[in-house]
Amino acid sequence: MAKRPVSTKPYSGPAGGWGSFRSVESILLQEERIATGNAVLLKQNKPGGYSCVSCSWAKPREPLPFEYCENGAKATAWEITRKRLPDDFFETHTLTELLSWSDHDLEAIGRLTRPMRLDRARDRWVPVAWEDAFREIGAELRGMDPRRTIFYASGRASLETSYIYGLFARLYGHNNLPDSSNMCHESTSVALPQAIGAPVGTVQLEDFRDTACILSFGQNVGSNSPRMLHPLQEAAKRDVPIITFNPLKERGWERFTNPQSPQEMLTLKETRISSQYHQLRAGGDIAAITGMCKALVEADDKAMAAGRAPILDHAFIQQHTHGFDSFAAWCRAQDWAELERWSGLARQAMMDAASVYGAARSAIGIYGMGLTQHKKGVENVRMLVNLLLLRGNIGKPGAGILPVRGHSNVQGQRTVGITEKPELVPMDGLAEQYGFEPPRDTGMNTVEACEAILEGRVQAFLGLGGNFLRAVPETQRMEAAWPGIRLTVQVATKLNRNHLINGEVAYLLPCLGRLEVDAQAGGEQAVTCEDTMTHIHASRGTVAPASPHLLSEPAIVAGIAKATLPPNPRVTWDEWMGDYGRIRDAIEASYPEIFKDFNRRMDEPGGFARPLAARQREWQTETGKANFLVPAGFRTDLGTDLDDPEILQLITLRSNDQFNTTIYGYDDRFRGISGTREVLLMNRADASRLGLKEGDTVSLTTAVDDNVLRQVHGLRVVPYDIPQGAVGGYYPECNPLIPLWHYAEGSKVPAAKSVPVRIRRQEARMAAE
Ligand SMILES: Nc1nc2c(c(=O)[nH]1)N[C@H]1C(S)=C(S)[C@@H](COP(=O)(O)OP(=O)(O)OC[C@H]3O[C@@H](n4cnc5c(=O)[nH]c(N)nc54)[C@H](O)[C@@H]3O)O[C@H]1N2
Ligand SMILES: Nc1nc2c(c(=O)[nH]1)N[C@H]1C(S)=C(S)[C@@H](COP(=O)(O)OP(=O)(O)OC[C@H]3O[C@@H](n4cnc5c(=O)[nH]c(N)nc54)[C@H](O)[C@@H]3O)O[C@H]1N2
Ligand SMILES: [Mo]
């Protein structure tokens, strides 16, 4: 797609609407898939069809005629594109030269078509036969210390692939299975078990129909989970209050036109989504929620003293929770001025939110990266649980907590064993099932894997999808250290920057995408994924493979595993490859409670749900109750917050035209930015205080004292409706600014939503270069 001229003007349209319609048709055109594309999309997220490769939003039992959104369509078009990496591509381009290409241009070349080996001397990829690749990788791995190897996964691979990948790691001898979740909802996976004894959310789609109130924190529905706009719109039409907390006015939380409703499209009718919108400080959530809790606790104190109906659900609190008294006392003791200072909201705003929430018979708490990717990411999530517990809003219809997961199977990968935490895996069961002694020590998560790579301790890195080097913090140091790894193997569909920077010995192995027909000895195969509402369903590819040389992800994992491990009669790789139903049998044997009757139930419309104790108000916590957990305080980030006016908090954001490091184009329609991603969104008052004006070019430097210079140059100042003290820039372009050690306490999720930076104007000459 040719870049449009740079323009930065506020966008007045709704989320969805004609902009969305035009965007779908334009990506299908760009990927040369107009006719097939529209037909393929009809099977998206439907029983008998395939699960979208974009986000993990639930797939309803009774789908809409078009159960896809603008960004799901982009992800589909990007995968089923007619474009292919030309066979002679690396004859004309060295990897060094390609380092100057953008993320967009690298992936836009098209699908990878053959397995390749790095020719280091000639600085390019050259074709290799699959058998040779497997044999050579196996030989390398056999000579290594398994504990010094890392098997990364990016969250898209199916349950079948993920299960055998995790099993391979353990048979080989390690638990180093970081995944994208370590940069994403790991704060959820740590916080929710402490608070409610479940690692995942408790809300089901039908709760949207029953709910009387929706709270949303730090999530961008219009770009990242647009299908959620349908239940939100239905709720809004029922006059359900929707209260949003986000430093930015995200259009999806403001208003929506359903692109699937001819009537709404023709009349340009919009539905307002949020009834209250609170633009709090970046990192201000603990203070804002404390304000709400304080208002509720104090109103309840008064009501009780006056003999009126209570505000809090005392029966629930007494029967089901632990720690209420100290939490309530802590709330009462907080000072409104401090809460205002740390939240950036007026006392009245917090009171307004509390009074609507306090009057609603049920409520859902939705959140995303705006809570998890902070130094206090784990506390943020626990704080939202505190608010819900006050009114018994977990484990009843219309209520619950709803982390909106990212990658389409990121939650499922954890369910079947992709985790560095051995306590989350049924190791004894695996030991018996496969007759071996699995490693019991904790493996490396993403940040720890990066530390080990920086220290030269890693011998091999396998990437099952993803773009690790681009997604992690500390880009420059990581890129410099990466070639120190002996073996790197990337399983991928498209070329990305991580494929340009490689270990000493390296392989790039192209795989089928989920939308492609996967024919094996036993016929066409289905795979399964788990969505954000814990429903597990089948997905069947529908388009012809991009190339006859591609292998499926399970076949690639099995190929490497067979070449690495001694034969084990109980690990039946060939049988598994012929029929993925046999992998599902193995999953069922390892996890009988979750996957009972797996092969039959995977085709149930809407999928089958995992059992979830917290939904039944059974609390699998140490206290046996749901726990109120008092936060340590309000200071959120690096101790610099609020103190130094020269230092601003950088929020790294996704545009409406990307899926993580996959950049579809250069427009962020809802934010009115077009033709560029090199921008810095700034409050006008901050800009003028720092002597900057619209269109100036600036560089950012991370404001920490650890003797590492972290900089990003060439960003264009865009005055924006963002609170003072915060600035916004795009991920992954701003990742060089994030120190590796700047992560959420307890979960090690990089604190990508609050990076302290200083801003400097670049000389015009330098900016032009
Ligand atoms: N089209 C598309 N869909 C996607 C993705 C994609 O890149 N593109 N990525 C997928 C993945 S892996 C994930 S994890 C999800 C991510 O989806 P989201 O969870 O929506 O993540 P972000 O886009 O990072 O946006 C975070 C939001 O938090 C707000 N925010 C930032 N700081 C704070 C804060 O301190 N408090 C509050 N209350 N809000 C804050 C930001 O303004 C922004 O609106 O989406 C998934 N879906
Ligand atoms: N600053 C900052 N950093 C962040 C974030 C942020 O908000 N701010 N968000 C974080 C989050 S939430 C996440 S989830 C991570 C994402 O990190 P990753 O999951 O590692 O990155 P992706 O961009 O999703 O990976 C894209 C690549 O996956 C490959 N791919 C696509 N489809 C397939 C497939 O079907 N199979 C295989 N094998 N490969 C495929 C393609 O080659 C593509 O180039 O980034 C994190 N990093
Ligand atoms: Mo994510």
Side-chain angles (χ1 to χ4, degrees), residues 134 151 157 160-169 462 464 491 509 551-564 573 577:
F134 292 152
F151 290 12
E160 291 78 1
T161 310
S162 304
Y163 176 81
I164 61 171
Y165 193 58
L167 180 63
F168 170 29
L462 269 59
L464 181 61
V491 180
L509 306 179
L551 290 186
S552 72
E553 288 182 323
I556 295 173
V557 172
I560 300 176
K562 274 172 64 179
T564 307
W573 296 111
M577 280 323 101

PDB file of all heavy atoms in Angstrom, residues 134 151 157 160-169 462 464 491 509 551-564 573 577:
ATOM      1  N   PHE A 134      15.749 -30.566   9.756  1.00  0.00           N
ATOM      2  CA  PHE A 134      15.432 -31.265  11.008  1.00  0.00           C
ATOM      3  C   PHE A 134      16.674 -31.987  11.550  1.00  0.00           C
ATOM      4  O   PHE A 134      16.985 -31.906  12.737  1.00  0.00           O
ATOM      5  CB  PHE A 134      14.302 -32.284  10.796  1.00  0.00           C
ATOM      6  CG  PHE A 134      12.961 -31.652  10.505  1.00  0.00           C
ATOM      7  CD1 PHE A 134      12.009 -32.335   9.748  1.00  0.00           C
ATOM      8  CD2 PHE A 134      12.643 -30.396  10.993  1.00  0.00           C
ATOM      9  CE1 PHE A 134      10.768 -31.759   9.476  1.00  0.00           C
ATOM     10  CE2 PHE A 134      11.407 -29.814  10.729  1.00  0.00           C
ATOM     11  CZ  PHE A 134      10.472 -30.500   9.963  1.00  0.00           C
ATOM     12  N   PHE A 151      12.465 -22.185  24.252  1.00  0.00           N
ATOM     13  CA  PHE A 151      11.417 -22.487  23.267  1.00  0.00           C
ATOM     14  C   PHE A 151      10.307 -21.451  23.451  1.00  0.00           C
ATOM     15  O   PHE A 151       9.442 -21.591  24.316  1.00  0.00           O
ATOM     16  CB  PHE A 151      10.839 -23.894  23.479  1.00  0.00           C
ATOM     17  CG  PHE A 151      11.755 -25.045  23.132  1.00  0.00           C
ATOM     18  CD1 PHE A 151      13.114 -24.873  22.877  1.00  0.00           C
ATOM     19  CD2 PHE A 151      11.236 -26.342  23.052  1.00  0.00           C
ATOM     20  CE1 PHE A 151      13.947 -25.954  22.565  1.00  0.00           C
ATOM     21  CE2 PHE A 151      12.055 -27.426  22.729  1.00  0.00           C
ATOM     22  CZ  PHE A 151      13.411 -27.239  22.494  1.00  0.00           C
ATOM     23  N   ALA A 157      -0.369 -20.412  17.869  1.00  0.00           N
ATOM     24  CA  ALA A 157      -0.383 -21.853  17.551  1.00  0.00           C
ATOM     25  C   ALA A 157      -1.501 -22.562  18.321  1.00  0.00           C
ATOM     26  O   ALA A 157      -1.825 -22.220  19.452  1.00  0.00           O
ATOM     27  CB  ALA A 157       0.976 -22.459  17.880  1.00  0.00           C
ATOM     28  N   GLU A 160      -3.128 -28.217  19.856  1.00  0.00           N
ATOM     29  CA  GLU A 160      -2.410 -29.439  19.482  1.00  0.00           C
ATOM     30  C   GLU A 160      -0.915 -29.140  19.364  1.00  0.00           C
ATOM     31  O   GLU A 160      -0.079 -29.843  19.932  1.00  0.00           O
ATOM     32  CB  GLU A 160      -2.959 -29.992  18.150  1.00  0.00           C
ATOM     33  CG  GLU A 160      -4.387 -30.554  18.220  1.00  0.00           C
ATOM     34  CD  GLU A 160      -5.472 -29.476  18.232  1.00  0.00           C
ATOM     35  OE1 GLU A 160      -5.131 -28.276  18.162  1.00  0.00           O
ATOM     36  OE2 GLU A 160      -6.672 -29.818  18.328  1.00  0.00           O
ATOM     37  N   THR A 161      -0.583 -28.078  18.597  1.00  0.00           N
ATOM     38  CA  THR A 161       0.834 -27.724  18.435  1.00  0.00           C
ATOM     39  C   THR A 161       1.449 -27.369  19.785  1.00  0.00           C
ATOM     40  O   THR A 161       2.566 -27.772  20.108  1.00  0.00           O
ATOM     41  CB  THR A 161       0.986 -26.497  17.500  1.00  0.00           C
ATOM     42  OG1 THR A 161       0.241 -26.730  16.313  1.00  0.00           O
ATOM     43  CG2 THR A 161       2.434 -26.243  17.165  1.00  0.00           C
ATOM     44  N   SER A 162       0.703 -26.591  20.569  1.00  0.00           N
ATOM     45  CA  SER A 162       1.250 -26.098  21.829  1.00  0.00           C
ATOM     46  C   SER A 162       1.536 -27.249  22.788  1.00  0.00           C
ATOM     47  O   SER A 162       2.558 -27.263  23.483  1.00  0.00           O
ATOM     48  CB  SER A 162       0.268 -25.125  22.486  1.00  0.00           C
ATOM     49  OG  SER A 162      -0.024 -24.081  21.584  1.00  0.00           O
ATOM     50  N   TYR A 163       0.633 -28.218  22.809  1.00  0.00           N
ATOM     51  CA  TYR A 163       0.823 -29.359  23.710  1.00  0.00           C
ATOM     52  C   TYR A 163       2.091 -30.118  23.349  1.00  0.00           C
ATOM     53  O   TYR A 163       2.911 -30.428  24.223  1.00  0.00           O
ATOM     54  CB  TYR A 163      -0.402 -30.272  23.636  1.00  0.00           C
ATOM     55  CG  TYR A 163      -0.274 -31.536  24.458  1.00  0.00           C
ATOM     56  CD1 TYR A 163      -0.523 -31.527  25.830  1.00  0.00           C
ATOM     57  CD2 TYR A 163       0.093 -32.744  23.861  1.00  0.00           C
ATOM     58  CE1 TYR A 163      -0.407 -32.685  26.585  1.00  0.00           C
ATOM     59  CE2 TYR A 163       0.211 -33.902  24.601  1.00  0.00           C
ATOM     60  CZ  TYR A 163      -0.036 -33.876  25.964  1.00  0.00           C
ATOM     61  OH  TYR A 163       0.081 -35.022  26.710  1.00  0.00           O
ATOM     62  N   ILE A 164       2.279 -30.403  22.055  1.00  0.00           N
ATOM     63  CA  ILE A 164       3.469 -31.196  21.710  1.00  0.00           C
ATOM     64  C   ILE A 164       4.748 -30.362  21.829  1.00  0.00           C
ATOM     65  O   ILE A 164       5.817 -30.893  22.095  1.00  0.00           O
ATOM     66  CB  ILE A 164       3.364 -31.883  20.322  1.00  0.00           C
ATOM     67  CG1 ILE A 164       3.216 -30.873  19.191  1.00  0.00           C
ATOM     68  CG2 ILE A 164       2.224 -32.904  20.290  1.00  0.00           C
ATOM     69  CD1 ILE A 164       3.323 -31.528  17.806  1.00  0.00           C
ATOM     70  N   TYR A 165       4.619 -29.053  21.687  1.00  0.00           N
ATOM     71  CA  TYR A 165       5.799 -28.177  21.843  1.00  0.00           C
ATOM     72  C   TYR A 165       6.262 -28.194  23.306  1.00  0.00           C
ATOM     73  O   TYR A 165       7.448 -28.351  23.601  1.00  0.00           O
ATOM     74  CB  TYR A 165       5.397 -26.770  21.409  1.00  0.00           C
ATOM     75  CG  TYR A 165       6.510 -25.770  21.194  1.00  0.00           C
ATOM     76  CD1 TYR A 165       7.527 -26.000  20.283  1.00  0.00           C
ATOM     77  CD2 TYR A 165       6.506 -24.547  21.879  1.00  0.00           C
ATOM     78  CE1 TYR A 165       8.518 -25.045  20.056  1.00  0.00           C
ATOM     79  CE2 TYR A 165       7.481 -23.585  21.652  1.00  0.00           C
ATOM     80  CZ  TYR A 165       8.488 -23.840  20.740  1.00  0.00           C
ATOM     81  OH  TYR A 165       9.460 -22.886  20.511  1.00  0.00           O
ATOM     82  N   GLY A 166       5.305 -28.052  24.211  1.00  0.00           N
ATOM     83  CA  GLY A 166       5.632 -28.098  25.646  1.00  0.00           C
ATOM     84  C   GLY A 166       6.181 -29.465  26.040  1.00  0.00           C
ATOM     85  O   GLY A 166       7.148 -29.572  26.809  1.00  0.00           O
ATOM     86  N   LEU A 167       5.555 -30.505  25.489  1.00  0.00           N
ATOM     87  CA  LEU A 167       6.014 -31.868  25.795  1.00  0.00           C
ATOM     88  C   LEU A 167       7.445 -32.068  25.286  1.00  0.00           C
ATOM     89  O   LEU A 167       8.300 -32.630  25.991  1.00  0.00           O
ATOM     90  CB  LEU A 167       5.061 -32.876  25.152  1.00  0.00           C
ATOM     91  CG  LEU A 167       5.396 -34.348  25.377  1.00  0.00           C
ATOM     92  CD1 LEU A 167       5.317 -34.701  26.865  1.00  0.00           C
ATOM     93  CD2 LEU A 167       4.454 -35.238  24.565  1.00  0.00           C
ATOM     94  N   PHE A 168       7.712 -31.584  24.081  1.00  0.00           N
ATOM     95  CA  PHE A 168       9.057 -31.669  23.504  1.00  0.00           C
ATOM     96  C   PHE A 168      10.077 -31.012  24.451  1.00  0.00           C
ATOM     97  O   PHE A 168      11.115 -31.602  24.775  1.00  0.00           O
ATOM     98  CB  PHE A 168       9.048 -31.014  22.116  1.00  0.00           C
ATOM     99  CG  PHE A 168      10.390 -30.810  21.469  1.00  0.00           C
ATOM    100  CD1 PHE A 168      11.462 -31.659  21.734  1.00  0.00           C
ATOM    101  CD2 PHE A 168      10.572 -29.777  20.543  1.00  0.00           C
ATOM    102  CE1 PHE A 168      12.706 -31.475  21.110  1.00  0.00           C
ATOM    103  CE2 PHE A 168      11.810 -29.588  19.917  1.00  0.00           C
ATOM    104  CZ  PHE A 168      12.875 -30.427  20.219  1.00  0.00           C
ATOM    105  N   ALA A 169       9.758 -29.814  24.916  1.00  0.00           N
ATOM    106  CA  ALA A 169      10.689 -29.114  25.819  1.00  0.00           C
ATOM    107  C   ALA A 169      10.989 -29.974  27.046  1.00  0.00           C
ATOM    108  O   ALA A 169      12.139 -30.108  27.468  1.00  0.00           O
ATOM    109  CB  ALA A 169      10.101 -27.775  26.244  1.00  0.00           C
ATOM    110  N   LEU A 462      14.309 -21.305  19.929  1.00  0.00           N
ATOM    111  CA  LEU A 462      13.305 -21.721  18.942  1.00  0.00           C
ATOM    112  C   LEU A 462      12.117 -20.790  19.086  1.00  0.00           C
ATOM    113  O   LEU A 462      11.621 -20.588  20.195  1.00  0.00           O
ATOM    114  CB  LEU A 462      12.841 -23.157  19.224  1.00  0.00           C
ATOM    115  CG  LEU A 462      13.594 -24.309  18.549  1.00  0.00           C
ATOM    116  CD1 LEU A 462      15.057 -24.312  18.904  1.00  0.00           C
ATOM    117  CD2 LEU A 462      12.947 -25.642  18.891  1.00  0.00           C
ATOM    118  N   LEU A 464       8.297 -20.340  18.009  1.00  0.00           N
ATOM    119  CA  LEU A 464       7.096 -20.878  17.360  1.00  0.00           C
ATOM    120  C   LEU A 464       6.190 -19.685  17.066  1.00  0.00           C
ATOM    121  O   LEU A 464       5.321 -19.325  17.842  1.00  0.00           O
ATOM    122  CB  LEU A 464       6.414 -21.880  18.295  1.00  0.00           C
ATOM    123  CG  LEU A 464       5.145 -22.550  17.759  1.00  0.00           C
ATOM    124  CD1 LEU A 464       5.414 -23.361  16.512  1.00  0.00           C
ATOM    125  CD2 LEU A 464       4.521 -23.430  18.841  1.00  0.00           C
ATOM    126  N   VAL A 491       9.925 -20.455  13.288  1.00  0.00           N
ATOM    127  CA  VAL A 491       8.811 -21.025  12.526  1.00  0.00           C
ATOM    128  C   VAL A 491       7.859 -19.871  12.249  1.00  0.00           C
ATOM    129  O   VAL A 491       7.381 -19.235  13.189  1.00  0.00           O
ATOM    130  CB  VAL A 491       8.085 -22.119  13.343  1.00  0.00           C
ATOM    131  CG1 VAL A 491       6.933 -22.713  12.533  1.00  0.00           C
ATOM    132  CG2 VAL A 491       9.065 -23.196  13.784  1.00  0.00           C
ATOM    133  N   LEU A 509      11.747 -21.573   9.073  1.00  0.00           N
ATOM    134  CA  LEU A 509      10.889 -22.679   8.645  1.00  0.00           C
ATOM    135  C   LEU A 509       9.463 -22.182   8.429  1.00  0.00           C
ATOM    136  O   LEU A 509       8.791 -21.769   9.385  1.00  0.00           O
ATOM    137  CB  LEU A 509      10.923 -23.788   9.711  1.00  0.00           C
ATOM    138  CG  LEU A 509      12.333 -24.280  10.079  1.00  0.00           C
ATOM    139  CD1 LEU A 509      12.261 -25.358  11.165  1.00  0.00           C
ATOM    140  CD2 LEU A 509      13.093 -24.804   8.855  1.00  0.00           C
ATOM    141  N   LEU A 551       4.964 -26.960   5.704  1.00  0.00           N
ATOM    142  CA  LEU A 551       4.508 -28.001   6.629  1.00  0.00           C
ATOM    143  C   LEU A 551       3.628 -27.337   7.677  1.00  0.00           C
ATOM    144  O   LEU A 551       3.708 -26.130   7.910  1.00  0.00           O
ATOM    145  CB  LEU A 551       5.703 -28.676   7.317  1.00  0.00           C
ATOM    146  CG  LEU A 551       6.596 -29.577   6.460  1.00  0.00           C
ATOM    147  CD1 LEU A 551       7.630 -30.271   7.342  1.00  0.00           C
ATOM    148  CD2 LEU A 551       5.779 -30.629   5.703  1.00  0.00           C
ATOM    149  N   SER A 552       2.811 -28.172   8.317  1.00  0.00           N
ATOM    150  CA  SER A 552       1.983 -27.624   9.396  1.00  0.00           C
ATOM    151  C   SER A 552       2.864 -27.382  10.620  1.00  0.00           C
ATOM    152  O   SER A 552       3.953 -27.968  10.742  1.00  0.00           O
ATOM    153  CB  SER A 552       0.870 -28.611   9.748  1.00  0.00           C
ATOM    154  OG  SER A 552       1.433 -29.724  10.420  1.00  0.00           O
ATOM    155  N   GLU A 553       2.383 -26.570  11.538  1.00  0.00           N
ATOM    156  CA  GLU A 553       3.152 -26.338  12.769  1.00  0.00           C
ATOM    157  C   GLU A 553       3.370 -27.635  13.553  1.00  0.00           C
ATOM    158  O   GLU A 553       4.488 -27.893  13.999  1.00  0.00           O
ATOM    159  CB  GLU A 553       2.465 -25.283  13.639  1.00  0.00           C
ATOM    160  CG  GLU A 553       2.587 -23.883  13.037  1.00  0.00           C
ATOM    161  CD  GLU A 553       1.962 -22.816  13.909  1.00  0.00           C
ATOM    162  OE1 GLU A 553       0.915 -23.086  14.532  1.00  0.00           O
ATOM    163  OE2 GLU A 553       2.509 -21.713  13.965  1.00  0.00           O
ATOM    164  N   PRO A 554       2.324 -28.483  13.732  1.00  0.00           N
ATOM    165  CA  PRO A 554       2.594 -29.737  14.451  1.00  0.00           C
ATOM    166  C   PRO A 554       3.674 -30.557  13.749  1.00  0.00           C
ATOM    167  O   PRO A 554       4.548 -31.141  14.410  1.00  0.00           O
ATOM    168  CB  PRO A 554       1.254 -30.474  14.422  1.00  0.00           C
ATOM    169  CG  PRO A 554       0.225 -29.416  14.213  1.00  0.00           C
ATOM    170  CD  PRO A 554       0.893 -28.332  13.424  1.00  0.00           C
ATOM    171  N   ALA A 555       3.649 -30.595  12.415  1.00  0.00           N
ATOM    172  CA  ALA A 555       4.637 -31.413  11.695  1.00  0.00           C
ATOM    173  C   ALA A 555       6.049 -30.858  11.888  1.00  0.00           C
ATOM    174  O   ALA A 555       7.013 -31.623  11.986  1.00  0.00           O
ATOM    175  CB  ALA A 555       4.288 -31.473  10.215  1.00  0.00           C
ATOM    176  N   ILE A 556       6.176 -29.548  11.968  1.00  0.00           N
ATOM    177  CA  ILE A 556       7.511 -28.964  12.159  1.00  0.00           C
ATOM    178  C   ILE A 556       8.018 -29.261  13.571  1.00  0.00           C
ATOM    179  O   ILE A 556       9.163 -29.671  13.771  1.00  0.00           O
ATOM    180  CB  ILE A 556       7.484 -27.439  11.881  1.00  0.00           C
ATOM    181  CG1 ILE A 556       7.148 -27.202  10.408  1.00  0.00           C
ATOM    182  CG2 ILE A 556       8.821 -26.798  12.244  1.00  0.00           C
ATOM    183  CD1 ILE A 556       6.919 -25.740  10.032  1.00  0.00           C
ATOM    184  N   VAL A 557       7.135 -29.081  14.550  1.00  0.00           N
ATOM    185  CA  VAL A 557       7.551 -29.375  15.935  1.00  0.00           C
ATOM    186  C   VAL A 557       7.927 -30.852  16.048  1.00  0.00           C
ATOM    187  O   VAL A 557       8.982 -31.208  16.606  1.00  0.00           O
ATOM    188  CB  VAL A 557       6.422 -29.014  16.935  1.00  0.00           C
ATOM    189  CG1 VAL A 557       6.784 -29.490  18.336  1.00  0.00           C
ATOM    190  CG2 VAL A 557       6.175 -27.505  16.924  1.00  0.00           C
ATOM    191  N   ALA A 558       7.093 -31.724  15.484  1.00  0.00           N
ATOM    192  CA  ALA A 558       7.375 -33.161  15.574  1.00  0.00           C
ATOM    193  C   ALA A 558       8.664 -33.501  14.839  1.00  0.00           C
ATOM    194  O   ALA A 558       9.461 -34.327  15.308  1.00  0.00           O
ATOM    195  CB  ALA A 558       6.204 -33.956  14.996  1.00  0.00           C
ATOM    196  N   GLY A 559       8.893 -32.862  13.691  1.00  0.00           N
ATOM    197  CA  GLY A 559      10.109 -33.133  12.912  1.00  0.00           C
ATOM    198  C   GLY A 559      11.363 -32.800  13.713  1.00  0.00           C
ATOM    199  O   GLY A 559      12.319 -33.585  13.756  1.00  0.00           O
ATOM    200  N   ILE A 560      11.352 -31.656  14.374  1.00  0.00           N
ATOM    201  CA  ILE A 560      12.527 -31.269  15.174  1.00  0.00           C
ATOM    202  C   ILE A 560      12.654 -32.196  16.384  1.00  0.00           C
ATOM    203  O   ILE A 560      13.742 -32.659  16.737  1.00  0.00           O
ATOM    204  CB  ILE A 560      12.426 -29.793  15.636  1.00  0.00           C
ATOM    205  CG1 ILE A 560      12.335 -28.868  14.420  1.00  0.00           C
ATOM    206  CG2 ILE A 560      13.623 -29.425  16.497  1.00  0.00           C
ATOM    207  CD1 ILE A 560      12.122 -27.394  14.775  1.00  0.00           C
ATOM    208  N   ALA A 561      11.506 -32.480  17.001  1.00  0.00           N
ATOM    209  CA  ALA A 561      11.538 -33.302  18.219  1.00  0.00           C
ATOM    210  C   ALA A 561      12.079 -34.699  17.910  1.00  0.00           C
ATOM    211  O   ALA A 561      12.933 -35.223  18.636  1.00  0.00           O
ATOM    212  CB  ALA A 561      10.143 -33.395  18.829  1.00  0.00           C
ATOM    213  N   LYS A 562      11.601 -35.289  16.824  1.00  0.00           N
ATOM    214  CA  LYS A 562      12.050 -36.644  16.482  1.00  0.00           C
ATOM    215  C   LYS A 562      13.546 -36.687  16.204  1.00  0.00           C
ATOM    216  O   LYS A 562      14.221 -37.655  16.518  1.00  0.00           O
ATOM    217  CB  LYS A 562      11.300 -37.141  15.231  1.00  0.00           C
ATOM    218  CG  LYS A 562       9.982 -37.787  15.559  1.00  0.00           C
ATOM    219  CD  LYS A 562       9.171 -38.099  14.309  1.00  0.00           C
ATOM    220  CE  LYS A 562       9.852 -39.126  13.409  1.00  0.00           C
ATOM    221  NZ  LYS A 562       9.016 -39.406  12.217  1.00  0.00           N
ATOM    222  N   ALA A 563      14.037 -35.592  15.612  1.00  0.00           N
ATOM    223  CA  ALA A 563      15.464 -35.558  15.287  1.00  0.00           C
ATOM    224  C   ALA A 563      16.325 -35.280  16.521  1.00  0.00           C
ATOM    225  O   ALA A 563      17.539 -35.444  16.490  1.00  0.00           O
ATOM    226  CB  ALA A 563      15.723 -34.490  14.232  1.00  0.00           C
ATOM    227  N   THR A 564      15.672 -34.842  17.600  1.00  0.00           N
ATOM    228  CA  THR A 564      16.427 -34.448  18.792  1.00  0.00           C
ATOM    229  C   THR A 564      16.392 -35.526  19.874  1.00  0.00           C
ATOM    230  O   THR A 564      17.388 -35.770  20.562  1.00  0.00           O
ATOM    231  CB  THR A 564      15.834 -33.143  19.376  1.00  0.00           C
ATOM    232  OG1 THR A 564      15.762 -32.165  18.348  1.00  0.00           O
ATOM    233  CG2 THR A 564      16.674 -32.610  20.528  1.00  0.00           C
ATOM    234  N   TRP A 573       4.899 -39.769  17.664  1.00  0.00           N
ATOM    235  CA  TRP A 573       4.893 -38.591  16.784  1.00  0.00           C
ATOM    236  C   TRP A 573       4.170 -38.875  15.466  1.00  0.00           C
ATOM    237  O   TRP A 573       3.362 -38.069  15.005  1.00  0.00           O
ATOM    238  CB  TRP A 573       6.322 -38.128  16.480  1.00  0.00           C
ATOM    239  CG  TRP A 573       7.099 -37.656  17.672  1.00  0.00           C
ATOM    240  CD1 TRP A 573       8.176 -38.277  18.237  1.00  0.00           C
ATOM    241  CD2 TRP A 573       6.886 -36.460  18.440  1.00  0.00           C
ATOM    242  NE1 TRP A 573       8.639 -37.548  19.322  1.00  0.00           N
ATOM    243  CE2 TRP A 573       7.869 -36.420  19.460  1.00  0.00           C
ATOM    244  CE3 TRP A 573       5.961 -35.414  18.383  1.00  0.00           C
ATOM    245  CZ2 TRP A 573       7.976 -35.404  20.391  1.00  0.00           C
ATOM    246  CZ3 TRP A 573       6.060 -34.385  19.315  1.00  0.00           C
ATOM    247  CH2 TRP A 573       7.047 -34.388  20.300  1.00  0.00           C
ATOM    248  N   MET A 577       0.866 -37.124  13.975  1.00  0.00           N
ATOM    249  CA  MET A 577       0.892 -36.294  12.765  1.00  0.00           C
ATOM    250  C   MET A 577      -0.162 -36.731  11.761  1.00  0.00           C
ATOM    251  O   MET A 577      -0.719 -35.919  11.037  1.00  0.00           O
ATOM    252  CB  MET A 577       2.273 -36.353  12.087  1.00  0.00           C
ATOM    253  CG  MET A 577       3.303 -35.471  12.716  1.00  0.00           C
ATOM    254  SD  MET A 577       2.613 -33.933  13.270  1.00  0.00           S
ATOM    255  CE  MET A 577       2.464 -34.261  15.001  1.00  0.00           C
TER     256      MET A 577
END
